[in-house]
Amino acid sequence: MTAWYAGLLAGFLLLFGLAVYLGLKHYLDSGLRNSLSQQTRSIAEKLLVDVDHRGEKHVADEASENYSPEINGRFLRITRADSSTLYQSSQPRDGSFDATRVPILRGPVKQEFFRDEFVGGHRLLFHTFPYTTPEGRAFWIEAGAPYHPVAELLDDLLIILAFGTPLIIAGAIAGGYWLMRRALQPVDDITQQAERITSRNLSERLSVAATGDEIERLSIALNRMIGRLDDAFQHINRFSADVSHELRTPLTILRGELESIAQRRLPPEMLEMIGSALEETERLAKIVDHLLTISRLDAGESRTLKIRLDLGQLAISTADQMRLLAEEKSISLVYEVAEGVEVEGDPARLRQVIANLVDNAIKYTAKNGQVKLHVAASGGKGILEIVDNGVGISAEALPNIFERFYRADLARTRYSSGAGLGLSIVKAICTAHDAEIKVFSTEGEGSRFRVELPLASSLSLNESRANSPRAAVSNPAQ
Ligand SMILES: Nc1ncnc2c1ncn2[C@@H]1O[C@H](COP(=O)(O)OP(=O)(O)OP(=O)(O)O)[C@@H](O)[C@H]1O
Ligand SMILES: [Mg+2]
């Protein structure tokens, strides 16, 4: 933008400079020509007109008195029809040219004309005017003026333009840049503030500077838009929370009734059908629970709860509760947990993260596999890793696994239970804790889920201590 502006300005200034230069050159040129032709004409009409009455001497005297180079720095010569000189001016006082070296002009001269002549290296402009007296005697008058005052003036102008134009351009660029930065600074501020607004902090607004200009109107319009988005998001969240909540009661009643029917004496096929219906009801209840959790998290529920807790202890106690699950598949749970990795957050929610990740690791790992829990501190972050050597996730599925209800094909066919909501919850909890979740996986080799939580403030200094492993428990569950 600045380059464009500078280019345009330079172009315009160059054109302007050229126009001024050419205009002045033309003006001075024609001024010189006019004055020379006026001079020759007036000599003819005032002096030569009387040459027969007053004599040639009188003409020469008058010419030398009124038009000598001492007076106007110009050359003057009056020549008779036979090319003999009646009068020729003497040397100019400033020595700007040598009058004796002006070439003789041979007649006859029929009409007036201008010519350029170089006299001793100096350029002079001559006007020659033929004149015939009322008595019929022919003369021509030559008036010449050195060109150098004009050339000097034009040179001066050129110097002014050559030095002045870049200065003006530099000044205009600096001024324009400063003005533009000043004008665009509020836009920059708005952009930065707008970048910080996500679906989780839609209640925040951009600051509005009361400048009364477009920037103020833009901020107000953006704030209104954010307000409408906020309303829409809240509406959606409330709706899914309400739906999930409303579904819970009928589901509980349904489950209770199915359980009471199952108590009765019924034919085995009926009991089997009721058992299957009960299983589906439970699955439905779990989905509804998960949806309720997600909509609460989306509404920013767990942002407020920040309790200081030991990530390693939390990971071990949560995974320990799931050991039965691992034992069922003869999967060994291995802990590599550093001491004193303290983070701030909601323990129940973080427990949910660990449980969901360990649950997946066990679920998507074949019998006799291994699931490793790794907790450490690094780069000011508390790191929690759950590593398995299970089925892994294909490269196509990997970008989608955190989406709601997404289940990779492999998981769909081999492992029927699960709605595809576990990782959505994990992601939502991580976002609420300003944590990052990353996944590395190779199909057929296993997966590594890595959660990076900000360390509780005073502990980030004690990272080295936190990295010393407290327990490396190998726990083959058999
Ligand atoms: N450790 C893992 N190994 C292989 N695939 C995994 C692993 N964890 C997740 N996945 C894949 O990501 C998908 C989404 O996981 P997510 O936990 O959200 O759903 P789910 O486990 O299928 O169901 P839910 O957790 O709701 O019971 C899974 O269906 C599976 O395909
Ligand atoms: Mg899961």
Side-chain angles (χ1 to χ4, degrees), residues 210-282:
T211 47
D213 57 8
E214 286 80 2
I215 305 288
E216 185 186 348
R217 286 202 290 283
L218 177 71
S219 327
I220 293 173
L222 281 174
N223 274 344
R224 287 203 190 116
M225 191 185 77
I226 297 167
R228 287 193 294 273
L229 280 175
D230 193 15
D231 285 349
F233 262 83
Q234 280 185 17
H235 182 78
I236 294 167
N237 275 335
R238 250 195 325 271
F239 178 74
S240 32
D242 288 351
V243 168
S244 316
H245 198 260
E246 288 304 312
L247 282 174
R248 267 177 149 188
T249 324
L251 271 173
T252 316
I253 297 169
L254 197 63
R255 193 158 59 184
E257 285 181 352
L258 280 172
E259 275 166 359
S260 72
I261 296 173
Q263 307 292 318
R264 298 189 193 156
R265 266 171 209 260
L266 290 168
E269 330 72 88
M270 283 285 277
L271 277 176
E272 202 175 310
M273 279 166 72
I274 290 166
S276 153
L278 253 172
E279 248 175 51
E280 288 306 311
T281 323
E282 248 148 51

Side-chain angles (χ1 to χ4, degrees), residues 356 359-360 363-364 422-423:
N356 277 340
D359 176 60
N360 280 352
K363 194 155 64 174
Y364 302 113
L423 286 181

